Amino acid sequence: LTGSSAYAQSTVGLDRSQARVTSAAAGLPLTAASKAAPQSIVSGYLQSRGRGADVLASLREITEGTCELLCVARSSIWIYDSTQSAIRCLDLYVASERSHDAGTELLARDFPAYFAALRSESAISADDAHQDPRTAEFSVPYLRPLGIGAMLDAPIRVGGRMIGVICNEHIGPAR
């Protein structure tokens, strides 16, 4: 295991053989265990860090580790604004470029079906993101231009309250 895989191993308790099985599953339908992994990664990692930790470095480690663990091209962490009418990207990792970005904001009024799905506080597993009613509104402005075919988004909770979402995107066909 390399840097971010070692992080994933320590965070979610995978041993080396389980990590290889997960990596070999690229392109296969997401299992119940892999659907729970993003939330476990974020929650476990944040709980393991002290208050003085470098938040940006932590977010970067989480998104990199999640890309590797789930075999996805992109992973990002978004936090709600105070009224839950928008989410703002704190970190987006693009694995193929090994790059990070941040700052994009999505408004509930522009993506009502997605925000309604977020309010359910359940994971959004869109095997075909273009057809799934929770994510289809992203098809023209976002999914098609980037070649994204599937999305897996999981709530981020702190103290039992949903504060944001970790989004994971597969580039290629539906998965």
Side-chain angles (χ1 to χ4, degrees), residues 3-15:
S4 55
S5 324
Y7 155 72
Q9 176 185 351
S10 67
T11 304
V12 296
L14 294 176
D15 67 24

Side-chain angles (χ1 to χ4, degrees), residues 7 45-46 49-65 75-77 79 88-93 99-103:
Y7 155 72
Y45 189 78
L46 293 177
R49 298 293 183 201
R51 291 189 179 267
D54 179 352
V55 174
L56 180 57
S58 297
L59 295 174
R60 288 178 171 201
E61 224 177 307
I62 291 167
T63 54
E64 289 176 20
S75 182
S76 54
I77 295 175
I79 300 299
R88 184 171 183 270
C89 182
L90 298 182
D91 186 62
L92 161 67
Y93 178 65
S99 66
H100 292 268
D101 196 10

Side-chain angles (χ1 to χ4, degrees), residues 24-50:
L28 297 178
L30 298 171
T31 65
S34 66
K35 290 176 184 177
Q39 184 176 340
S40 298
I41 289 170
V42 174
S43 296
Y45 189 78
L46 293 177
Q47 289 173 7
S48 73
R49 298 293 183 201

Side-chain angles (χ1 to χ4, degrees), residues 106-118 124 128-144 151:
L106 299 178
L107 304 177
R109 70 173 181 256
D110 296 334
F111 303 100
Y114 180 73
F115 275 79
L118 286 180
I124 299 170
D128 184 342
H130 297 276
Q131 299 300 317
D132 190 295
R134 301 165 297 178
T135 57
E137 60 199 0
F138 289 117
S139 191
V140 172
Y142 182 72
L143 301 175
R144 273 193 205 127
M151 294 172 61

Side-chain angles (χ1 to χ4, degrees), residues 151-170:
M151 294 172 61
L152 175 60
D153 296 0
I156 300 170
R157 292 183 180 85
V158 172
R161 186 177 133 252
M162 184 175 170
I163 63 161
V165 63
I166 182 167
C167 303
N168 303 286
E169 301 162 340
H170 164 71

